[in-house]
């Protein structure tokens, strides 16, 4: 089943609690954490995550686009995140960090920038609950989807299936009604969508529409593979 994670980076920060609850039916609420060092933008931190946890029943999926996630990731679990994603390019000890996140009770995820290949991390996959393939350069919302990431999504899905792992494959960046089917056909099953949800007149309806489109595409892919 496709999962839709609306990104609050595209929400109205002056009405964050209302915006969090405007996406009824979403599987997770995606929280982009940027430090103006790892990426050239600054967003929010642990106190906002704590406040969001109190304001909504939707579980929080925190994407840490920060330096030194080995130090800071556990604090986001303590703040209420149900899933914490760190970047492979920033983590000093990714296996140790993934195990620590899991031990604290959250799902552990690792993200890869567009230029970072997945193959060097194949042996780490069993330590993760999810892998995030960035389909834009991290740091800003509203960017155009990078079609050149579709082969990488396919290769990642093939690695996951080769090892028989129960992990999720997430994509983030430029996901919309126009691109989500291509991502699902390539093998993604968790979709971060910002402006495609919060830019819609009815964000909850946008979530339903995106999920339906992804599931149609995934069903077509599975049917083709079965022939």
């Amino acid at each position: 089943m496709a999962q839709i994670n609306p990104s609050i980076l595209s929400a109205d920060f002056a009405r964050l609690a209302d915006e969090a609850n405007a996406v009824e039916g979403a599987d997770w609420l995606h929280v982009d954490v940027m430090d103006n060092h790892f990426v050239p933008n600054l967003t929010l931190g642990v106190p906002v995550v704590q406040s969001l946890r109190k304001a909504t029943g939707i579980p929080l999926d925190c994407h840490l686009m920060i330096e030194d996630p080995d130090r800071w990731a556990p604090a986001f679990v303590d703040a209420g995140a149900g899933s914490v994603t760190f970047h492979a390019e920033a983590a000093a000890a990714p296996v140790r960090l993934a195990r620590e996140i899991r031990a604290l009770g959250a799902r552990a995820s690792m993200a890869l920038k567009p230029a970072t290949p997945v193959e060097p991390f194949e042996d780490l996959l069993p330590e993760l609950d999810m892998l995030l393939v960035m389909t834009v350069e991290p740091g800003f919302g509203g960017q155009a989807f990078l079609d050149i990431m579709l082969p990488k999504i396919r290769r990642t899905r093939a690695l996951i299936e080769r090892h028989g792992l129960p992990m999720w494959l997430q994509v983030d960046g430029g996901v919309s009604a126009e691109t989500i089917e291509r991502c699902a056909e390539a093998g993604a099953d968790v979709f971060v969508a910002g402006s495609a949800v919060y830019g819609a007149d009815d964000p909850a309806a946008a979530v339903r529409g995106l999920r339906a489109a992804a599931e149609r595409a995934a069903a077509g892919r599975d049917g083709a593979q079965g022939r």
Side-chain angles (χ1 to χ4, degrees):
M1 181 177 175
Q3 299 185 60
I4 306 299
N5 298 14
S7 172
I8 64 166
L9 188 62
S10 296
D12 181 352
F13 275 33
R15 303 173 50 251
L16 208 47
D18 292 338
E19 295 279 71
N21 290 302
V23 291
E24 182 181 358
D27 298 280
W28 296 77
L29 194 64
H30 192 79
V31 182
D32 289 302
V33 178
M34 307 182 193
D35 64 358
N36 206 30
H37 294 282
F38 182 71
V39 293
N41 199 1
L42 183 66
T43 55
L44 45 80
V46 168
V48 175
V49 173
Q50 290 174 326
S51 296
L52 277 171
R53 178 68 284 145
K54 297 173 184 176
T56 180
I58 302 173
L60 304 181
D61 167 32
C62 287
H63 177 192
L64 307 185
M65 289 170 271
I66 63 174
E67 293 182 353
D68 200 8
D70 304 73
R71 175 184 179 187
W72 297 110
F76 286 90
V77 182
D78 292 341
S83 176
V84 175
T85 300
F86 58 88
H87 267 266
E89 304 86 357
V95 170
R96 183 176 63 197
L97 179 55
R99 290 180 178 179
E100 184 174 6
I101 291 169
R102 281 176 157 181
L104 291 170
R107 295 179 64 87
S109 171
M110 187 172 72
L112 304 175
K113 288 184 177 182
T116 303
V118 64
E119 288 79 7
F121 300 98
E122 181 175 357
D123 291 343
L124 276 65
L125 297 183
E127 303 288 343
L128 302 169
D129 298 296
M130 183 170 72
L131 192 70
L132 166 55
V133 173
M134 293 295 299
T135 45
V136 299
E137 288 294 339
F140 294 92
Q143 297 183 65
F145 179 80
L146 294 174
D147 284 283
I148 58 172
M149 290 298 102
L150 292 171
K152 182 177 177 180
I153 297 169
R154 293 189 186 97
R155 295 196 306 272
T156 303
R157 172 52 63 191
L159 286 177
I160 291 170
E161 293 183 352
R162 181 185 307 162
H163 291 278
L165 299 171
M167 66 187 303
W168 299 342
L169 175 52
Q170 185 180 65
V171 289
D172 180 4
V175 174
S176 67
E178 290 71 38
T179 62
I180 195 168
E181 292 190 10
R182 279 176 277 166
C183 294
E185 288 168 353
D189 51 15
V190 183
F191 307 87
V192 177
S195 55
V197 172
Y198 281 111
D201 292 336
D202 185 339
V207 168
R208 294 192 296 271
L210 289 169
R211 181 183 291 112
E215 291 182 349
R216 283 194 303 270
R221 179 197 72 213
D222 293 343
Q225 292 175 343
R227 289 199 294 270

